[in-house]
Amino acid sequence: MTVIRILKSKLWTCIAMVVTLVLLLTGVIFTVRFYVSMDIYEKSPTLLEGSYSVDGGEWKEIRRDEAIDERFHSLELRGRFPNKLLIIFEEINLSTKDVWFELKTADGEELCTYTYEEMKLSYEHMREGRPYALDLPETPGYKVTTLSTQSLTASGVTGETELVLTVTYPYSGKGPGFADCFQVTTGIPSGMYLRFFYEALPLILLFVLVCFFGLFFFPIAGRVLGKTDYTYLSFGALCFFWGFYMIVQSMSGYLNLWINDPTMCMLLSHVTEYAFVASLIFYTKTRMKEDGFRASANVIGSAYLILAFILMILQLSGGADLTATAFLMNIVTGIVLLILVGLLILEVKKSREILYFVLSWIPLVLSLGADILDRIIHLPGSYFFRYGMAVTMVVQIIGLIYDLRQQYLERLKYERMQKELYEAEVAVMVSQIQPHFMYNALTSIAMMCVNDPKKAQEATITFAKYLRGNMDSLKQKEPVPFSQELEHLKKYLYIEKLRFGKRLNVEYDIQTEDFKLPQLSVQPLVENAVKHGVGMKKKGGTVTIATRESDDFYEVIISDDGVGFDPTAIPTENAVQDGKNDLQKEKRSHVGMENTKRRIRDMCGGEIVTESKIDEGTTVRIILPKAGQSKTEAE
């Protein structure tokens, strides 16, 4: 199937429809969010108004509308609900990540708790007494807890009630900033779903589009080029896993709304990250040219997958959860990326095409280093890895689309060249077997039948082989060995010698045949030398065909001592039609001559150089670079 037929297929119409639908839906959500009042829910930086203490340290004021960004192992907040919370809103949704928490009154009355004991009891109840499968005391996971303001009011809680909120990060060291692991949404019933619809869904839809492109666009791109391109297949997998990872991260605070198991929510978040990094490693391998580097990338990717599999086994067996080992995996990922970038830098010396690819990795490597550093010393901001990854992926997508466009244009050029090649071959064949040529050849053979029947038989067989060679050339699309072209050329000159007799002498000075060139590319030049060179000279002349080899190129030289012409002369329609002006006006024109030049240029990177002087003759050189020969063999 050709490129044009693929582009016209229904598949591309479906892709365009899906992209349009996703973008339209995203635009509608953004528009609604912009114009419609959001009084139906409200985000709060903290649950209480009052003061807080980090790890038993000094008490600090909780500032209204300002998030607490301090890292902690244990954080305690003391204060009261905002006045409007119990009056206006009906629900309080607490979205937590990797932390336990307890909400009590100052007198010790429990209002809402999320601890390991409570989670274990709830799972035993759900599973009818069976023990909790993932029995990890230090795995809070991702949890969404809903409080009813009506229930709180019924239990005696008012705007003046003193409350205590204790949040605990159960892992070694200090956890992320409080705002990153504890989020509050107040609103009407289902307010958490509304927040998801207005805030998370637009971004999720965009990454669904990325997944869609990863599954369909880039894998199909290789087929558009008429071959299976593993670079595009691996990048399609990379786009899919990146999109899936970003979808999970975008809805991580909402996963527990649909997945009951908080541990499974956390597990999904980490596994999608591992899948993305693994796909990134194997995509990088496809951009490497050296076999040793590709083998190294395979070993690194396999080792990374084995480590990720071991950590998941530890999670499922109760040894250690993925959050506890996340810092280790961050360091391993950083080392892996640095090694891969180092291998690519070594290849840059040999292939400048990879330089752009290496530079695009800089944001990803720097962001991962910032994330690792953030675990040691708290840096302002967060999610460095996601931002750096997004920049790298966008640059990669732009680069791949540009590369795809270039290859697509080259494919169109190749198809156009093949069409012109076919037309040129037809033109050459027709020009050689046109009626007057056949008439001259057959007339000469008929005369020999009387005078020299044996030679007439030989001439008939040669003429038949020449016609077969012309017909076979229509099936040949690739360059052919010069020896094959030379044999066909000799048959043509044999027939022409029947016509011109002693007026045409042919000499060969063949010093090399170890190269290829487009079929029927020498014959038009020899035909010009015969018809417009020695053929126009009363006494005739000699046509010489020679080949040469130098360090950088091969040469085919066709020379004659015929009438010659002035290469600088420009013929006009009003030129005097005398003998020399006829020669100048023709300018050695020949059916398919321009196509011959184009074929030599496009298929072998060569050129044709012509030198001529009136009354002295003409020399035409076909110059074929050896670099073009290696390209031809590769194709």
Side-chain angles (χ1 to χ4, degrees), residues 511-522:
Q511 297 187 12
T512 179
E513 297 182 7
D514 190 23
F515 62 93
K516 292 183 178 182
L517 75 175
Q519 192 168 24
L520 299 181
S521 58
V522 180

Side-chain angles (χ1 to χ4, degrees), residues 444-478:
S444 299
I445 293 173
M447 293 175 62
M448 284 188 291
C449 288
V450 177
N451 300 324
D452 192 347
K454 186 174 182 180
K455 188 174 182 181
Q457 180 185 16
E458 179 184 348
T460 302
I461 294 174
T462 302
F463 185 52
K465 289 181 178 179
Y466 169 77
L467 294 177
R468 171 178 287 183
N470 270 348
M471 296 298 294
D472 290 343
S473 69
L474 297 177
K475 303 176 183 178
Q476 179 64 40
K477 303 300 181 184
E478 303 294 334

Side-chain angles (χ1 to χ4, degrees), residues 356-481:
Y356 174 83
F357 181 76
V358 172
L359 292 177
S360 69
W361 276 60
I362 293 177
L364 181 62
V365 174
L366 292 179
S367 64
L368 185 60
D371 251 10
I372 295 174
L373 190 61
D374 182 54
R375 297 292 298 270
I376 302 173
I377 56 171
H378 190 48
L379 298 176
S382 58
Y383 308 115
F384 300 104
F385 179 65
R386 296 182 199 173
Y387 297 141
M389 175 179 58
V391 173
T392 293
M393 287 299 298
V394 169
V395 173
Q396 287 298 307
I397 290 174
I398 294 173
L400 261 291
I401 291 177
Y402 176 79
D403 180 61
L404 174 61
R405 178 179 178 274
Q406 292 299 109
Q407 293 195 46
Y408 171 67
L409 293 177
E410 290 178 4
R411 178 69 181 179
L412 289 180
K413 180 181 178 181
Y414 177 78
E415 290 188 353
R416 183 173 62 252
M417 184 183 68
Q418 291 297 314
K419 181 180 179 181
E420 292 174 352
L421 172 62
Y422 178 79
E423 293 173 350
E425 290 171 345
V426 172
V428 171
M429 184 192 71
V430 171
S431 72
Q432 294 297 341
I433 61 175
Q434 55 187 309
H436 78 267
F437 175 78
M438 296 181 65
Y439 174 78
N440 291 335
L442 292 174
T443 300
S444 299
I445 293 173
M447 293 175 62
M448 284 188 291
C449 288
V450 177
N451 300 324
D452 192 347
K454 186 174 182 180
K455 188 174 182 181
Q457 180 185 16
E458 179 184 348
T460 302
I461 294 174
T462 302
F463 185 52
K465 289 181 178 179
Y466 169 77
L467 294 177
R468 171 178 287 183
N470 270 348
M471 296 298 294
D472 290 343
S473 69
L474 297 177
K475 303 176 183 178
Q476 179 64 40
K477 303 300 181 184
E478 303 294 334
V480 298

Side-chain angles (χ1 to χ4, degrees), residues 1 43 83 160 353 396 533:
M1 182 179 289
K43 296 181 293 183
N83 290 328
E160 301 299 324
E353 297 176 358
Q396 287 298 307

Side-chain angles (χ1 to χ4, degrees), residues 22 25-27 29-30 33 196-211 242-243 245-251 386-387 390:
V22 170
L25 184 57
T26 304
I29 294 175
F30 274 121
R33 181 183 174 189
F196 167 79
F197 178 81
Y198 285 112
E199 296 189 6
L201 187 58
L203 189 60
I204 289 173
L205 288 175
L206 291 178
F207 283 108
V208 166
L209 193 59
V210 171
C211 291
W242 175 52
Y245 167 70
M246 291 305 295
I247 288 172
V248 172
Q249 295 304 312
S250 299
M251 60 186 303
R386 296 182 199 173
Y387 297 141

Side-chain angles (χ1 to χ4, degrees), residues 563-571 580-588 610-618:
V563 295
F565 70 98
D566 182 3
T568 63
I570 302 177
K580 289 184 179 179
N581 280 338
D582 282 342
L583 295 177
Q584 292 176 358
K585 185 175 181 180
E586 286 195 38
K587 280 188 82 176
R588 310 300 293 263
T610 303
E611 299 175 357
S612 183
K613 291 184 179 180
I614 296 177
D615 295 331
E616 292 186 15
T618 302

